[in-house]
Amino acid sequence: MADPDSPSSDQTGSFEPVDLHTTPQSLARAVLARRSEYVRPHKIKVKIGTWNVAACPGTDKDLARWFVDGEGIDKHFAALDLSRNAAIAHDPSISNEDDPDSVRLVGGNRIGLYVLGLQEVVDLNLTKEYMNLAVKVDNSSIDKWQAALEAAMPPGYQLVMSEQMTGLLMLIYASPEIAPTITNVSTKAVGTGLLGYFGNKGAVTSRLVLGETTRMVFVNCHLASGAGPSYVDRRCWDFDQILSKTKFDPVVHAGVSEDEGEMIGDEDFAFWFGDLNFRLDGLPGDDIRRILTLHTRGEYGSNIERRPQPIEGEGVIVMRNSESDDDTTVKSSVHSREQSFDSETTLPDPDEFPEDPSQDPTSLQATLDSLLPHDQLRRVIAQRRAFHDGWREGPITFLPTYKYDVGTTALFDSSEKQRSPSWCDRILYRTRNDKQGSDVIIQEEKESRIKDGEMKSRGMDQDDDVLFSYNPDTDGHGQENESPMLEYDEHDFETEDNVVDEVVTKEGYVDRIGLEIYTSHQRISSSDHKPIISVFTLEYDAVVPELKAKIYAEVARELDRAENEGRPAITVAMEGSSATSESAVDLGDIGFLEKKSCVVTVANTGSVPAEILFIEKPSTDEENSTTLTWLTTSFIRSDDESSTRTERLVTLEPGETILAHIGAQVSTVSHLRALNDGQVKLEDVLVLRVEGGRDHFIPIKGSWLPTCFGRSIDELIRIPDGGIRKFVADNHIKGPIPHDSEVRCSAPKELFKLTEAVQTLAERCVADEAMLEEMTLPHEVGWPFDSATWTTGIAEQDSIRAELVSALDSDTSLPEALPLELSSAHKLELLSSILLLFMASLADGLVPPLLWAKLFLHCRT
């Protein structure tokens, strides 16, 4: 682990100097370059457990007992002297005086990470249930197990991840001190079962980053079942599929994402566990069962002095004989716990075991050591077919984990199949150094084979002086089919307990990991598999959030000072606000078609020229994007206010000022309806961009005046005299007019007023043409309702049109809202445009859908 008072071992080579002026994401990189100042050593215990529960009822009730509390271990069935192991709880307050043979592992709040992998949490032998799980997600199983585990957890432990794929389930919990330091959790599931991708077999894999420095991967798997060679091939295929298909999300540190996602093998520490389903080859199952039974009864060897006492709850057990993943039938049988022991024999005294049990030929460990060379997993590793790239396992000092009669201890399968005992359930682990070392060896062997091939092609492989030749590609391969036993060094795979490995992580830190214990819980008898656990001690360098925040603040100030020296800077002064504050610009009341404006002064207060412009905010919502059109911006030079500059980008020299003109008008029907319904407000923020400098934000707001435009006929017929503005204000209506309001008239009053005013003005126009010589009315078809026939500029006179809208909303005279200087023809055109706009804006149209349907039906009949 890195010395907290000095840079870590890679600080001088892993990071290049950070250019605070030009480097993208320079703040994050600059903080990362000083990481040795906010990283400190930490030490935690990681407890990993795996169990094939065989879909047996009640297995969730045993979860707390063995996984959290560490119970269920019997030292008679574990070859190591467990009492001297660092993972054993020695607290007298939790000892069981009634059962001196019981052992309890450390648990509770002394564990930093709990990682639990379960298999067959649902019964996949039932075709209907499996197909239901294949097409829909069922959270009942995960909820049951999660509730059981959380009930046993000490206070404050937090769920890091939970993922179920059919019968596979993985849960990870962290202590209150560790949980806040876990980031970048990425979980993937790979199915390798039916048809090669269903989830009855496969793996659930999770990657997390601990303390922002240490990358950990956990793989909970269930590989193909079966004892024959073809099943071994399928398990190796499953392993390859899990490796190739698992790809985690890219790791993100301080907002900086790595370029690509990670695969299994890119982490610092990996743990692969579950029901791997590898069996024992080359030995009759009856012989294995017999010799192990002699050990469990204490009959193997000559040291027979006492027998173990039956476990609590002895008696007849009604057993659901689950055949697990090898059988499709469900049987019932009755077993007695006492059948597991001989009433006249005893187990050897553990105190009389030699210091190294494997040296005693009559010891359980010696028997286990004689069986392990027949283990299929070790064979495929020796053959470089699976798990040969650096994976290791703790010493196996416990009975095989499969297959037992449910409800019994140390009573192997007594069903008709009488399966051979095997270590199906395993926990493997690998460090970054293990993987890199294995990759080097594999690459060297590959290069050696290429070189040998080149020598053969040149005829240089024969030497007359050699009595015999050896071909590494062919010699010895014929023996594999003759015997499953291979010669290989078990120390390449097995790791002794309490051996600490130093690992250089991907981030360049030196971490240490040690396996404290690897054992099974023989006394847990509710499944035909026995659960197993591993306890690791992990020493690693982790980020201290308080120290990192301090460094972050220092770097931010330094970066800000360096950037500000050469960056353009402006000051924005708003009307009615001080030069140093940026309060919102309030445009006051705004009605439909009414124009409001304000002026903002922008001054270049920096030492370099500043290019400024207003930018549009991105929007993927079509309706929201139309609301942005109610604001317009332009620039006016302060020395010539009469000339308006509409350039999008202007340049200010140091000390120069300019006026930014902001105009507001609601003119679109979609925006109008949204305002009437209360879905949006007249609020927005203009972004004044300074190229190469800091953006300035100018909040704009206004108060919307209710209007009769954009509403439905059903709303308008409920408006009394006085207009909609008074009606809405008096009744405190926000949004649409309620349908339970009193109906005032059969048609909108505003429609009557408009048509009456148009009729009156039309008669006035005819009279003016007859009396005034200079008065000539347009004679085009459609006038005055066709916009193509209007006088030039009529459509642009929004100020007059806004007055007519206000007259309708306030229930005042329409003719009085028209300027006196306008001719009667111009007035008629303006009123006609308002009438057309009113009808076009009706939310349900001039003819409501129900009435239109009736008319259509009437016309057809």
Side-chain angles (χ1 to χ4, degrees):
M1 298 170 61
D3 186 349
D5 298 325
S6 62
S8 59
S9 59
D10 73 320
Q11 294 299 311
T12 58
S14 297
F15 295 95
E16 298 176 357
V18 179
D19 184 350
L20 299 181
H21 297 282
T22 60
T23 304
Q25 302 166 329
S26 56
L27 177 58
R29 292 196 61 191
V31 173
L32 195 60
R34 296 179 57 181
R35 62 181 183 175
S36 61
E37 300 179 41
Y38 55 81
V39 171
R40 296 292 182 269
H42 287 67
K43 182 177 181 179
I44 65 169
K45 289 186 183 297
V46 180
K47 190 171 187 177
I48 299 175
T50 179
W51 191 21
N52 186 325
V53 299
C56 292
T59 46
D60 56 308
K61 297 179 176 60
D62 283 335
L63 184 62
R65 181 182 168 207
W66 71 269
F67 185 56
V68 178
D69 296 335
E71 299 177 357
I73 297 178
D74 194 316
K75 61 185 179 182
H76 287 292
F77 305 133
L80 288 182
D81 185 1
L82 295 173
S83 62
R84 300 179 183 178
N85 194 287
I88 303 300
H90 298 286
D91 188 351
S93 62
I94 62 174
S95 62
N96 189 354
E97 297 180 356
D98 297 332
D99 190 358
D101 295 331
S102 65
V103 178
R104 183 167 179 172
L105 297 181
V106 295
N109 54 18
R110 286 171 290 181
I111 303 296
L113 275 179
Y114 280 101
V115 184
L116 174 65
L118 300 174
Q119 303 85 45
E120 294 192 43
V121 295
V122 295
D123 191 353
L124 300 183
N125 289 326
L126 302 179
T127 305
K128 180 179 179 181
E129 182 174 350
Y130 173 68
M131 294 309 297
N132 288 336
L133 291 171
V135 298
K136 67 179 181 179
V137 178
D138 182 10
N139 293 326
S140 58
S141 295
I142 191 172
D143 293 340
K144 177 184 72 173
W145 287 97
Q146 187 171 331
L149 189 55
E150 290 178 356
M153 283 287 174
Y157 275 69
Q158 299 179 25
L159 178 67
V160 175
M161 65 77 61
S162 62
E163 184 74 17
Q164 179 182 359
M165 182 185 71
T166 315
L168 280 169
L169 173 62
M170 183 158 67
L171 298 167
I172 300 179
Y173 283 84
S175 66
E177 298 78 17
I178 301 302
T181 68
I182 295 177
T183 57
N184 290 284
V185 179
S186 178
T187 301
K188 304 297 176 182
V190 175
T192 63
L194 186 65
L195 302 180
Y197 66 89
F198 272 81
N200 59 316
K201 292 293 187 293
V204 173
T205 309
S206 185
R207 189 277 322 277
L208 58 86
V209 178
L210 189 61
E212 298 187 25
T213 60
T214 303
R215 308 180 188 213
M216 307 179 74
V217 165
F218 301 94
V219 184
N220 174 31
C221 77
H222 193 181
L223 304 185
S225 60
S230 62
Y231 298 107
V232 177
D233 296 338
R234 183 53 188 254
R235 285 192 277 274
C236 294
W237 184 86
D238 289 350
F239 170 78
D240 291 335
Q241 290 295 300
I242 295 169
L243 284 182
S244 61
K245 293 183 178 180
T246 301
K247 186 173 183 179
F248 302 110
D249 300 331
V251 171
V252 179
H253 279 321
V256 181
S257 175
E258 295 183 352
D259 295 335
E260 297 181 354
E262 294 184 320
M263 308 287 288
I264 299 177
D266 296 329
E267 70 287 335
D268 301 319
F269 300 100
F271 305 87
W272 193 304
F273 48 90
D275 185 356
L276 277 61
N277 256 319
F278 288 105
R279 312 301 171 88
L280 293 177
D281 278 338
L283 290 175
D286 290 340
D287 290 349
I288 301 175
R289 186 181 299 103
R290 179 179 56 81
I291 191 172
L292 291 178
T293 300
L294 290 175
H295 274 289
T296 58
R297 293 180 176 181
E299 298 176 358
Y300 193 89
S302 58
N303 188 9
I304 304 175
E305 297 180 0
R306 67 182 183 90
R307 72 175 186 89
Q309 296 298 319
I311 301 175
E312 292 182 10
E314 62 183 67
V316 177
I317 300 171
V318 179
M319 184 191 79
R320 176 190 179 281
N321 188 7
S322 170
E323 300 295 341
S324 186
D325 48 21
D326 292 330
D327 204 356
T328 58
T329 62
V330 178
K331 301 179 181 180
S332 298
S333 60
V334 179
H335 294 272
S336 171
R337 296 185 185 274
E338 294 184 355
Q339 292 176 356
S340 302
F341 307 99
D342 192 305
S343 60
E344 298 180 358
T345 59
T346 62
L347 286 171
D349 188 350
D351 295 335
E352 298 180 4
F353 283 171
E355 188 172 342
D356 185 356
S358 63
Q359 300 303 312
D360 181 1
T362 64
S363 68
L364 173 60
Q365 185 62 59
T367 300
L368 301 181
D369 291 342
S370 67
L371 296 177
L372 287 172
H374 298 266
D375 178 36
Q376 290 177 348
L377 175 58
R378 301 195 175 201
R379 175 158 60 91
V380 298
I381 293 174
Q383 295 173 347
R384 306 281 179 92
R385 297 172 60 192
F387 295 103
H388 58 279
D389 49 350
W391 292 98
R392 293 187 285 166
E393 184 180 25
I396 293 182
T397 61
F398 48 88
L399 293 175
T401 61
Y402 175 82
K403 172 182 173 63
Y404 293 85
D405 288 343
V406 176
T408 66
T409 298
L411 179 60
F412 294 101
D413 185 17
S414 62
S415 66
E416 295 179 1
K417 292 189 175 183
Q418 293 193 349
R419 291 176 181 80
S420 174
S422 300
W423 286 278
C424 291
D425 309 275
R426 313 289 274 267
I427 300 177
L428 313 180
Y429 72 103
R430 181 178 66 183
T431 68
R432 186 174 184 82
N433 290 4
D434 295 332
K435 178 64 167 62
Q436 292 176 341
S438 174
D439 291 343
V440 170
I441 295 175
I442 294 174
Q443 182 62 30
E444 289 176 349
E445 293 178 349
K446 180 180 179 181
E447 294 174 355
S448 178
R449 285 193 296 269
I450 294 174
K451 186 176 297 185
D452 290 343
E454 293 175 351
M455 294 180 65
K456 288 180 181 180
S457 64
R458 298 175 184 176
M460 302 173 61
D461 57 328
Q462 300 296 328
D463 190 343
D464 296 335
D465 296 332
V466 179
L467 296 179
F468 61 90
S469 61
Y470 171 74
N471 188 339
D473 294 331
T474 59
D475 292 353
H477 278 249
Q479 299 176 4
E480 293 178 5
N481 297 328
E482 298 174 4
S483 173
M485 297 180 60
L486 297 175
E487 296 296 334
Y488 66 96
D489 188 357
E490 295 182 2
H491 294 287
D492 293 339
F493 180 63
E494 265 197 8
T495 302
E496 295 295 331
D497 292 349
N498 303 319
V499 175
V500 178
D501 296 313
E502 283 194 353
V503 179
V504 179
T505 68
K506 191 172 184 178
E507 301 292 338
Y509 293 96
V510 179
D511 291 356
R512 295 180 178 88
I513 191 169
L515 174 63
E516 290 192 356
I517 197 166
Y518 181 38
T519 190
S520 69
H521 293 257
Q522 183 66 219
R523 295 188 175 204
I524 304 301
S525 57
S526 52
S527 169
D528 57 358
H529 288 250
K530 298 300 181 182
I532 63 174
I533 61 95
S534 283
V535 177
F536 296 88
T537 296
L538 176 64
E539 301 178 38
Y540 65 102
D541 291 312
V543 169
V544 179
E546 295 79 7
L547 296 178
K548 184 177 180 180
K550 180 181 178 181
I551 300 301
Y552 187 94
E554 293 178 2
V555 172
R557 286 193 298 269
E558 180 182 351
L559 181 62
D560 187 59
R561 182 176 63 254
E563 290 181 346
N564 287 339
E565 291 177 355
R567 292 179 60 183
I570 65 171
T571 300
V572 178
M574 302 181 188
E575 292 180 344
S577 64
S578 64
T580 58
S581 63
E582 295 186 359
S583 58
V585 176
D586 191 348
L587 298 176
D589 294 335
I590 300 178
F592 183 45
L593 298 181
E594 185 179 0
K595 290 184 177 180
K596 289 292 185 71
S597 64
C598 67
V599 176
V600 175
T601 302
V602 182
N604 185 350
T605 54
S607 57
V608 295
E611 293 182 335
I612 62 173
L613 75 159
F614 285 100
I615 64 172
E616 295 182 359
K617 296 184 297 184
S619 176
T620 57
D621 189 336
E622 181 179 352
E623 183 172 334
N624 288 341
S625 63
T626 60
T627 63
L628 299 178
T629 60
W630 75 287
L631 292 176
T632 59
T633 59
S634 61
F635 291 107
I636 307 172
R637 294 288 178 180
S638 58
D639 54 353
D640 185 10
E641 297 185 10
S642 62
S643 61
T644 301
R645 295 180 177 270
T646 58
E647 296 95 333
R648 184 168 178 267
L649 177 67
V650 297
T651 302
L652 293 180
E653 296 297 329
E656 188 179 3
T657 62
I658 197 172
L659 299 179
H661 181 272
I662 302 172
Q665 183 189 31
V666 177
S667 58
T668 61
V669 175
S670 59
H671 193 190
L672 166 71
R673 290 175 180 172
L675 288 167
N676 284 339
D677 292 342
Q679 298 177 0
V680 297
K681 296 182 179 180
L682 289 179
E683 295 178 352
D684 211 333
V685 177
L686 293 174
V687 181
L688 182 58
R689 169 67 48 83
V690 181
E691 296 293 346
R694 180 176 66 90
D695 290 345
H696 290 255
F697 303 94
I698 305 176
I700 308 293
K701 66 178 181 178
S703 300
W704 173 244
L705 293 176
T707 179
C708 59
F709 287 75
R711 296 187 183 270
S712 65
I713 293 178
D714 189 63
E715 290 181 274
L716 295 176
I717 61 177
R718 304 175 190 276
I719 300 174
D721 294 339
I724 189 172
R725 292 182 182 176
K726 183 177 184 301
F727 175 66
V728 169
D730 291 345
N731 292 274
H732 306 288
I733 297 175
K734 303 292 184 182
I737 297 174
H739 293 293
D740 57 356
S741 301
E742 181 182 354
V743 177
R744 307 287 181 169
C745 50
S746 59
K749 184 178 180 181
E750 293 79 6
L751 188 59
F752 287 117
K753 293 184 65 175
L754 283 169
T755 54
E756 182 181 359
V758 168
Q759 180 182 357
T760 301
L761 272 175
E763 295 173 353
R764 177 64 182 273
C765 287
V766 173
D768 286 348
E769 185 181 31
M771 293 185 298
L772 302 174
E773 295 181 0
E774 68 275 9
M775 181 72 173
T776 302
L777 295 177
H779 293 281
E780 289 87 349
V781 177
W783 186 85
F785 297 106
D786 186 357
S787 60
T789 65
W790 291 344
T791 305
T792 304
I794 288 295
E796 285 74 30
Q797 295 183 10
D798 284 338
S799 60
I800 302 176
R801 288 152 54 88
E803 290 295 331
L804 292 174
V805 171
S806 179
L808 286 173
D809 294 337
S810 304
D811 197 14
T812 57
S813 173
L814 288 175
E816 292 181 1
L818 293 168
L820 296 175
E821 63 272 13
L822 290 181
S823 66
S824 57
H826 289 177
K827 292 179 180 179
L828 179 57
E829 290 173 347
L830 286 168
L831 273 176
S832 299
S833 68
I834 292 298
L835 175 59
L836 293 174
L837 179 60
F838 177 79
M839 291 188 295
S841 69
L842 289 172
D844 50 358
L846 188 60
V847 180
L850 182 60
L851 178 58
W852 174 258
K854 291 181 179 179
L855 293 174
F856 181 74
L857 181 63
H858 179 73
C859 292
R860 292 187 62 182
T861 58

